[in-house]
Every structure is written in C-alpha cells, then in structure tokens.
Amino acid sequence: MSTVYDCTSPDSREEGLAAAANTVRAGGLVVLPTDTVYGIGADAFDANAVHALLAAKGRGPDMPVPVLVGSWSTVDGLVMSVPQQARALIEAFWPGGLSLVLPQAPSLSWDLGNTRGTVNLRMPLHPVALDLLREVGPMAVSSANRTGQPPAASAGQAREQLGDSVQVYLDGGPSGEPVASTIVDLTQGTPRVLREGAVSLADLSEVLGEDLEADR
C-alpha cells in the first residue's frame, strides 16, 4: 500500500521525507518532485531496488537509469574523473536541468542497466528532491511513468500510472509544463548533446566556448 505526503505543508513534508528516506534505505521505491518532471527513485547502490524501478516502469536494462545527486562534491566519488568541461557546466547549471554522462568510477558496485561503464548524473533544482538526496545519498531516478506513457507532472499522475509498486509519493505540487533535462555526453572528450531540453544549446555553447549541435 502506498502513502502520499503533501510536501507543500511543513509538517507533512517532514513526515514524508522521513518516510521516503526509510523506504529508500529499505530497498523500496519513492516518487519525488524534481524541477523537470516527477521521478521514481531508488537507492542507486541497491541492484534489487533498481530492478524493481525498471519493472515498475515496464522497462528493461537496455535503457539505464540516471542518478541524481544532492551536491556538486558527490560527483567526485562516482566518476573516474571530472574533466574541466564538466566542472564548467556543473558550476553554470547545477542544480538544474542538465544531465552529464561521464565514465563511472570502476570501483562502484551498482547495476543501473546497460551503462557501458558510464553514468548519467544530475543535481535537480527542487528543495524536496535535494533534501531527500542529501539524506540518503545518490539515487537512481527515472521519470515517474510507465514506458510509452506521458511523463508525470504531478504526484497524482504518477500514482495513476505506477500505483502500489511505489511505497511513498512525495507531492510537491504540479511541476508545470514537463520539460526533460538536456543531456550532454562527455565520455569521448568532445561534448555531444544527446538531447536538448531545459538548458539550451546556446547556453551550453556560451559556457564551453564552442558551438554545439544536438544529435539527430
């Protein structure tokens, strides 16, 4: 049975964050608001929880789950190295709607899907998400919808699709028009924009000092 917590109310928010943190630590799933769309999340280091997340979405390991972090410094422990281009983009756009694909640290024991040794990282600009991430550490988080269905712009929409496969729903109010994050791949030395979303190509190009185009 799932429980919904109204995070627009201070008392309910505190109770909801505590319940969500306990659920994540116990290997369960939570739905949380972010600055783009609502996400379904699990402990990034719990392979069984990540597999449950993929099952809830009706998705296989061929589409790996991104990882959300609660601070810039967390990234250093998750990747092989943080190139200067990545640091420039982090300083410019985190927290916010920019996801960075980097080579993961080889010592990490996690299973996010068929990542081919990479990890997709983002720090969301949402106080509820950040509070939870700072409490439990990195979380594997994907959009809170069944595969092939529209992304959820509210906790209610997420619950309609995911139901009791998720133990805790954190309701931070409507997210507005759903806008996906921009994804930049920095694994090959030359930046590749895999998806243009919340952060524009023009803004990326200005920070990096080179003209970028999105993959077609």
Side-chain angles (χ1 to χ4, degrees), residues 20-41:
N22 288 336
T23 296
V24 171
R25 293 189 184 105
L29 303 180
V30 303
V31 158
L32 63 156
T34 79
D35 49 332
T36 54
V37 296
Y38 270 73
I40 175 174

Side-chain angles (χ1 to χ4, degrees), residues 11-122:
D11 290 342
S12 181
R13 170 178 166 156
E14 184 176 352
E15 183 182 1
L17 283 168
N22 288 336
T23 296
V24 171
R25 293 189 184 105
L29 303 180
V30 303
V31 158
L32 63 156
T34 79
D35 49 332
T36 54
V37 296
Y38 270 73
I40 175 174
D43 181 350
F45 296 98
D46 186 330
N48 290 330
V50 175
H51 293 166
L53 186 160
L54 290 170
K57 285 179 62 71
R59 177 165 130 182
D62 54 310
M63 298 179 68
V65 186
V67 172
L68 296 188
V69 298
S71 69
W72 292 4
S73 59
T74 304
V75 175
D76 292 300
L78 302 179
V79 302
M80 193 175 300
S81 65
V82 183
Q84 184 54 43
Q85 289 175 321
R87 293 203 184 276
L89 292 172
I90 287 170
E91 290 175 6
F93 301 114
W94 278 19
L98 178 67
S99 299
L100 298 177
V101 180
L102 292 163
Q104 73 169 52
S107 59
L108 291 182
S109 57
W110 60 14
D111 181 6
L112 302 170
N114 300 334
T115 63
R116 297 177 177 83
T118 68
V119 60
N120 181 339
L121 296 170
R122 188 167 86 84

